[in-house]
């Protein structure tokens, strides 16, 4: 289970690259296989489209059961909205009896944060707005709790072409607790050639383009913009 | 500002290694310089002890102002309880006028998660129990909010030799919302030669050794132990 980082080769770890190099088969969502194109020459690739997570994972386990070394790649960290948990669950359900190793990577939240400045310097939450697998009411309650506790929050999967209401509701919840000038950072396709970054405020965030590849980071009351960087202050005396 | 990952060379990114290779000066806390010993031959090292963050950061900026390429290293991700935010604040306060680049790394929470299984598969919070810079009442309120919202939580800096009460209080708060059998993962010095891992429960967690190098991950109601792995289920039908 290999986390390949947000997309660029520079943000991959040595272990991730070594694992792919050792593998006979590399399994992943089409786009993620593209991110590691430089590493997979001569290997068998098994790709699939979005939302085919279970199928992809089963394919990887089947090949591993057959005695092959298999890398199942996730973008970012394999254990953050990635494939690591599903692989463990599925291997157990099927009695696959294969050895699993989980290789962490730079997750989208911290990769986005680094491009924008240092908004995650202290306590934060990571919340996905996708309600495919979790009821929206649960996600709403989490947003309320995190907003009230003044945690910086990184929103994953904020919007898809079919799902737009959730992001508007999330912003509305956060506006109930934080001032309109609260900095908000928007990072799309971080580390790839399509990377887009912007820095806005809670008042204006709905004017910005946001999609499934975007991470939206909403500051806390300790966040501000300094020399164009989005920073949450840890409170050192300087 | 270079995040060097949790400690082992394998968890470093290419960009982190390249940045250190390009630098004339490498600044950091003693232990973190030890983690990159294989990369710093022939470079000037500026090290300092714990809690000398402002001094360390000022030293790095001074050398950059003098025209040198400087790496200021943080363990994990430079932007998660690291030095990135302080560097931006200090550069601004001093009108340093130096170019800053922030290089993200694998943060301790996801590195620990990968060793233990996949506890951070969905929404989670990262909270430090150190009250050196943040009032304990604020941290308590965050723990209550996160506990009530059933977020998995990664606790950084759970305990020091002088500060033990906070971890006990945090556990007490979480016990108020989650069953005693909730899985808890404990990972100390992840990725280093002193790495120690254990998997316990919310009922028994206070029996385990925990220190400043430990990340404690407390599961949600969707977390369980499968084949010895700590997993939070995303809810796929398998």
């Amino acid at each position: 289970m290999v986390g390949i980082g947000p997309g660029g080769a520079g943000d991959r770890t040595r272990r991730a690259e070594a694992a792919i190099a050792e593998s006979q088969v590399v399994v992943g969502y089409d786009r993620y296989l593209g991110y590691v194109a430089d590493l997979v020459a001569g290997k068998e690739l098994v790709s699939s489209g979005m939302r085919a997570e279970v199928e992809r994972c089963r394919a990887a386990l089947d090949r591993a059961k057959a005695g092959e070394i298999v890398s199942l790649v996730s973008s970012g960290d394999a254990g953050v909205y990635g494939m690591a948990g599903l692989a463990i669950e599925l291997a157990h359900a099927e009695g696959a009896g294969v050895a699993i190793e989980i290789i962490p990577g730079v997750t989208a939240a911290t990769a986005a944060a680094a491009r924008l400045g240092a908004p995650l310097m202290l306590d934060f939450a990571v919340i996905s707005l996708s309600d495919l697998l979790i009821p929206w009411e649960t996600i709403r309650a989490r947003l309320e709790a995190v907003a009230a506790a003044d945690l910086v929050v990184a929103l994953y999967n904020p919007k898809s072409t079919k799902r737009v209401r959730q992001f508007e509701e999330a912003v509305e919840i956060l506006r109930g607790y934080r001032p309109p000038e609260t900095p908000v950072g928007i990072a799309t396709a971080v580390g790839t050639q399509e990377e887009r970054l912007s820095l806005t405020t809670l008042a204006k965030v709905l004017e910005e383009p946001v999609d499934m590849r975007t991470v939206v980071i909403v500051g806390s009351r300790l966040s501000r913009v300094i020399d164009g960087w989005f920073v949450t202050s840890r409170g050192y005396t300087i």
Side-chain angles (χ1 to χ4, degrees), chain A:
Chain A
M1 306 295 126
V2 184
I4 59 170
D11 287 318
R12 294 193 300 236
T13 67
R14 280 201 209 183
R15 279 176 73 205
E17 295 193 340
I20 293 171
E22 279 171 38
S23 298
Q24 285 129 14
V25 184
V26 183
V27 182
Y29 169 48
D30 305 345
R31 179 182 287 143
Y32 305 157
L33 291 180
Y35 292 162
V36 293
D38 57 316
L39 302 176
V40 297
K43 298 179 187 301
E44 185 183 346
L45 302 182
V46 179
S47 71
S48 62
M50 278 285 277
R51 298 202 190 167
E53 289 90 350
V54 177
E55 173 196 313
R56 207 145 68 219
C57 199
R58 187 166 281 131
L61 289 174
D62 284 347
R63 300 303 293 265
K65 272 193 278 189
E68 290 175 296
I69 300 175
V70 182
S71 281
L72 175 56
V73 298
S74 298
S75 75
D77 187 287
V80 179
Y81 309 110
M83 301 289 282
L86 177 59
I88 293 168
E89 290 178 279
L90 200 59
H92 176 76
E94 301 196 340
V98 300
I100 291 177
E101 182 182 3
I102 299 160
I103 298 179
V106 175
T107 188
T110 75
R115 297 294 197 281
L116 296 162
L120 306 181
M121 280 305 294
L122 56 173
D123 308 344
F124 65 95
V126 171
I127 295 181
S128 166
L129 299 189
S130 169
D131 57 357
L132 280 177
L133 297 169
I134 303 262
W136 177 242
E137 284 315 305
T138 302
I139 301 171
R140 270 192 71 97
R142 287 175 178 171
L143 289 165
E144 287 276 356
V146 158
D150 203 34
L151 289 166
V152 174
V153 58
L155 303 173
Y156 280 54
N157 306 315
K159 218 190 230 185
S160 71
T161 40
K162 289 185 187 166
R163 186 173 52 73
V164 297
R165 185 182 50 84
Q166 285 82 346
F167 183 52
E168 293 168 6
E169 279 192 44
V171 168
E172 198 179 307
I173 290 167
L174 287 154
R175 282 178 180 160
Y177 294 90
R178 297 184 194 179
E181 62 274 19
T182 301
V184 177
I186 298 178
T188 300
V190 163
T192 72
Q193 300 204 325
E194 301 91 52
E195 178 174 292
R196 292 194 316 271
L197 302 172
S198 64
L199 196 48
T200 182
T201 62
L202 202 47
K204 294 186 178 167
V205 63
L206 293 178
E207 300 168 18
E208 299 287 324
V210 158
D211 63 34
M212 282 300 277
R213 298 172 75 191
T214 307
V215 174
V216 177
I217 302 180
V218 180
S220 74
R221 288 177 175 270
L222 295 173
S223 302
R224 55 195 203 277
V225 176
I226 302 173
D227 296 339
W229 294 106
F230 177 10
V231 178
T232 303
S233 184
R234 260 186 106 177
Y236 290 110
T237 306
I238 59 176

